[in-house]
Amino acid sequence: MRLDRFIAKHTEHSQQTARRLIACGRVRVDAQVMRDGRQEIDRFATVQLDEQLLQQREALFFMLHKPAGYLSATCDPVHPTVLEFFAPALRPQLHIAGRLDRSTTGLLILTNDGLWSRHLTEPGQRIPKVYLVGTAEPVAEQAAQRFAQGVHLAREAVDTSPAQLQQLGPCLARLTIHEGRHHQVKRMFHAVGNRVTSLHRERMGRIELDPRLPPGQYRPLTAAEIASVTSPASRLV
Ligand code: URA
């Protein structure tokens, strides 16, 4: 529905008055002043007239079991993207909270809430991200200690924050990190002379990949999962 009609429908104003209010800069869509009454409004927009909230946008939070081969991007001319698993009407609303490499599988979270996703991904929040890692060479004995101390990443000229490594087999480990730098897990293993051959994200904070979700399927997050991201306890798990 057009914004001027939307204002008329949700207030006592006529459509003509609504157009004047819009032109005066008294209407905000998603916190931005909107002066064009022809702007289309759907259920994913927050609309305010002065300080009056006329519509709170519908919040979207999903977990996807990402299969290998899909890009964590909204569009790409060459490779299929994870957005292709979602209905066309949902796609423009969603962004990815913590990208995965094309070959990486597992838990991918998509939302339309930018503040919430920043909370989940900002290194300062220290929300753990847990990965199952397959390696080309047996994991070196000193790797756990190196990861706990922090590995130097030359490109950013930073040390990774302390990470926990749990050895599960000669070439299989579980790694918990608290940041999400570009190719971070692969670069950490490279720094200890190894190579990642498979990578699967199992968990972010308290949100675990639902074992009932086959690759390529998604489900909405539960209220408890959504709330867990902004609760201080999510940093500790
Ligand atoms: N670290 C990586 O190297 N790749 C991912 O996809 C996620 C974390």
Side-chain angles (χ1 to χ4, degrees):
M1 180 188 302
R2 279 167 51 136
L3 180 58
D4 51 1
R5 291 202 191 112
F6 180 94
I7 299 289
K9 183 169 174 215
H10 290 85
T11 65
E12 73 284 8
H13 300 298
S14 66
Q15 206 172 317
Q16 198 181 8
T17 311
R19 275 199 286 274
R20 267 211 312 278
L21 295 170
I22 293 164
C24 289
R26 289 175 57 185
V27 174
R28 276 172 289 157
V29 176
D30 293 336
Q32 304 291 323
V33 170
M34 173 57 64
R35 292 179 194 269
D36 184 355
R38 293 167 303 178
Q39 170 75 29
E40 282 297 315
I41 300 297
D42 59 20
R43 65 186 198 279
F44 305 113
T46 298
V47 184
Q48 283 167 273
L49 170 61
D50 298 325
E51 296 316 310
Q52 188 188 355
L53 184 64
L54 302 182
Q55 174 176 278
Q56 178 68 55
R57 74 174 174 176
E58 189 179 313
L60 301 171
F61 300 92
F62 297 112
M63 72 159 73
L64 168 73
H65 186 164
K66 179 191 174 297
Y70 287 80
L71 274 185
S72 291
T74 47
C75 63
D76 188 82
V78 180
H79 299 292
T81 77
V82 292
L83 264 298
E84 290 173 30
F85 293 109
F86 293 84
L90 284 177
R91 289 177 200 165
Q93 321 302 328
L94 294 174
H95 65 265
I96 297 159
R99 291 163 191 274
L100 292 174
D101 295 340
R102 188 155 66 93
S103 58
T104 304
T105 59
L107 175 65
L108 193 70
I109 293 178
L110 297 99
T111 177
N112 63 350
D113 187 333
L115 212 61
W116 184 89
S117 62
R118 273 206 294 285
H119 212 95
L120 181 62
T121 55
E122 262 177 13
Q125 299 295 339
R126 296 199 41 74
I127 293 187
K129 285 90 188 175
V130 183
Y131 293 88
L132 202 57
V133 190
T135 57
E137 308 293 333
V139 178
E141 256 179 45
Q142 68 275 23
Q145 203 188 343
R146 287 280 310 278
F147 291 170
Q149 287 166 345
V151 166
H152 188 69
L153 299 178
R155 197 185 312 151
E156 295 93 338
V158 293
D159 292 339
T160 55
S161 62
Q164 293 76 48
L165 185 73
Q166 181 192 5
Q167 184 109 27
L168 301 173
C171 293
L172 187 66
R174 180 170 285 122
L175 179 68
T176 302
I177 61 175
H178 299 86
E179 306 145 293
R181 299 186 187 281
H182 194 50
H183 300 319
Q184 179 163 339
V185 175
K186 290 177 184 160
R187 291 160 76 195
M188 287 173 71
F189 276 87
H190 181 75
V192 294
N194 210 331
R195 185 169 59 81
V196 171
T197 53
S198 67
L199 190 55
H200 178 83
R201 185 155 64 198
E202 298 181 311
R203 181 160 69 80
M204 296 176 85
R206 291 187 179 275
I207 306 177
E208 244 175 280
L209 179 64
D210 191 326
R212 291 163 301 185
L213 275 184
Q217 296 284 305
Y218 67 88
R219 69 153 170 84
L221 295 186
T222 64
E225 286 168 335
I226 296 164
S228 74
V229 169
T230 42
S231 106
S234 63
R235 298 180 197 131
L236 307 175
V237 290

